[in-house]
Amino acid sequence: MAEPSRRSSRAAGKTGMCVNRDCKNYQQKVTVDHGDFVCPECGKTLVPIKGGDNPQKKMWVSAIIGVVVIAAAVAVYLISQAGGSSEPEVAPVDTAVVEEPVVEPVDTVAPVDTVAAVEEPKEEPKEEPKADPKPASAGGTLPYGKYTGPMSGGKPHGVGGSVAVNSSYTFDLNDGTTASVAAGDKIENTKFQNGRLVQGEIQRTNGDRKWITLGASNGR
């Protein structure tokens, strides 16, 4: 079965035309004396040409092909010229000069402030509350020393006084204990109430310090 098929593709002495555009034998008559009916240059199958041995027919075929090619080239050229020559129309420019209207200067009037100035009410100065007068600072003599500090009614009264102890004295702290002072000691940061010592810090000559708080009464 394969042998007849291969022989059918072979034809010695046949003439055909190559239709491969990439081949140099394009649209040329090619005569194949033996082998497959293909173009010897590109190997593409040739289109059979009847009466291929007639030279006059070959000339007519070549002439017709040439005319067709020339006509196609002329048509392409005319189309490209017709499409490229069209230019957009430019609207005519109006050269008339338009005069701008002259604006007369307008006198500017300063705005008048019609709102009367309102004076803010003045605040009266507030009187600061007067502090209670501090007890007069003076001195007095106590059974155990000389007092210097606030006084009231001729008696020690207030906070911040001191006592320079000049004789021995024992204070009853009313809690089962007592505190004694001797000449040379001091009682600083005192608080007196109507001549009676309520609180104070005993500072002894040896550097010891003792804070005392007395009750309702005190004695030797």
Side-chain angles (χ1 to χ4, degrees):
M1 295 296 292
E3 187 65 20
S5 170
R6 192 174 67 177
R7 289 180 179 179
S8 62
S9 63
R10 298 174 180 274
K14 291 183 64 175
T15 302
M17 180 181 294
C18 180
V19 294
N20 182 13
R21 294 180 181 272
D22 298 329
C23 183
K24 68 178 183 178
N25 289 334
Y26 175 60
Q27 294 184 346
Q28 299 294 327
K29 187 175 83 168
V30 179
T31 300
V32 180
D33 295 331
H34 60 276
D36 294 335
F37 191 51
V38 298
C39 177
E41 290 292 333
C42 65
K44 301 293 183 181
T45 303
L46 299 173
V47 177
I49 299 177
K50 294 182 179 180
D53 295 335
N54 188 353
Q56 185 177 5
K57 188 172 183 180
K58 174 182 177 182
M59 292 176 63
W60 277 104
V61 171
S62 299
I64 292 172
I65 293 173
V67 170
V68 171
V69 172
I70 293 173
V74 171
V76 171
Y77 175 76
L78 293 176
I79 291 173
S80 63
Q81 290 296 321
S85 61
S86 59
E87 296 182 356
E89 295 183 358
V90 180
V93 179
D94 189 2
T95 57
V97 178
V98 179
E99 295 183 357
E100 297 183 357
V102 179
V103 180
E104 295 294 334
V106 179
D107 294 335
T108 57
V109 180
V112 179
D113 188 2
T114 57
V115 180
V118 179
E119 294 184 358
E120 296 182 357
K122 296 181 179 179
E123 295 183 358
E124 296 294 334
K126 297 181 180 179
E127 294 182 358
E128 296 182 358
K130 295 181 180 180
D132 294 336
K134 294 182 179 180
S137 179
T141 301
L142 298 173
Y144 45 87
K146 184 178 181 180
Y147 168 79
T148 303
M151 300 284 288
S152 178
K155 297 179 181 180
H157 182 80
V159 179
S162 64
V163 178
V165 180
N166 54 18
S167 63
S168 299
Y169 195 87
T170 301
F171 296 97
D172 184 2
L173 303 182
N174 295 320
D175 60 355
T177 62
T178 59
S180 298
V181 292
D185 295 342
K186 293 181 180 180
I187 304 175
E188 299 288 346
N189 302 318
T190 63
K191 177 181 179 181
F192 278 86
Q193 185 173 4
N194 294 326
R196 182 177 61 86
L197 180 63
V198 176
Q199 287 179 339
E201 182 184 39
I202 299 174
Q203 298 180 2
R204 305 187 186 281
T205 55
N206 60 2
D208 292 341
R209 297 190 178 194
K210 179 181 178 64
W211 182 263
I212 60 174
T213 300
L214 285 74
S217 63
N218 58 66
R220 291 182 181 274

